[in-house]
Amino acid sequence: HHAIAVFNNNYDRVNVYTDSISEKKYETASFQALTFFNTDQVLFAKPLCDRDGLILHSNGFSIDGKGILLAGESGAGKSTLSNILIKKGLDGLCDDRMFITQKDSSFWIHGNWCHGTVSTVSNISAPLKAIFFLEQSKDNCSEPIDNNKIKVHKLMQSMVKPFLTTQEWKKTFSTMEELVKKVDCYILKFDLSGDIFDVITNILAKH
């Protein structure tokens, strides 16, 4: 099927037009995305840019009201670690794609329905306190990333790349620069024992 999306000027309302799909079929069928596009992130990336935000290929969690992101390339272990944390009773916000916005000089993460292999989703939002870039290992430990250029480089590798104009890309880079100044980033090495949970909670206890 085909789909066309029309936003208003503020990007706070969108009408999606499609063919060959009735309301009844929409209510009962399973689609890759609620908006009929290959992925909803195609539509949301631009409005987030206009709101000092972005979409990161990452898994989000709220731990005692503090938000964290688990980021990394495909195969880094995002879904594996998410399943470990969910078994620990943590609130998973979304698997694979997380929405990030800035408000009141702080960055927040928002649960959404654009999940990956782990189907746990939530409408919870939480202030972002830490971003963990994952590496599977025989150890369970963290290494802080102090260099902002390295932080931006790693964020760029995990960022969902939207279709933006030159000025919008400049705005996105400005948002990323603010993000790395205000949010601590870490390399997180973990095995399958679940002991990494204590490493994460000890880091959050400092925030």
Side-chain angles (χ1 to χ4, degrees), residues 2 9 17 36 41 49 57 79 99-100 103-104 112-113 118 131-132 141-142 152 155-156 171 181 194 198 202:
H2 302 88
N9 291 335
Y17 302 90
F36 299 112
Q41 67 192 28
C49 169
H57 278 300
S79 296
F99 293 6
I100 305 172
K103 58 180 180 179
D104 299 328
N112 62 87
W113 63 88
V118 179
I131 301 175
F132 298 102
C141 61
S142 65
V152 170
L155 284 174
M156 279 297 299
K171 185 175 180 64
K181 290 177 184 176
D198 292 332
N202 287 337

Side-chain angles (χ1 to χ4, degrees), residues 140-167:
N140 291 284
C141 61
S142 65
E143 300 174 3
I145 304 174
D146 298 320
N147 188 308
N148 283 349
K149 289 185 178 180
I150 295 177
K151 292 180 184 180
V152 170
H153 177 71
K154 287 188 170 295
L155 284 174
M156 279 297 299
Q157 290 180 319
S158 298
M159 176 184 161
V160 173
K161 310 299 191 299
F163 298 107
L164 300 177
T165 65
T166 299
Q167 290 301 316

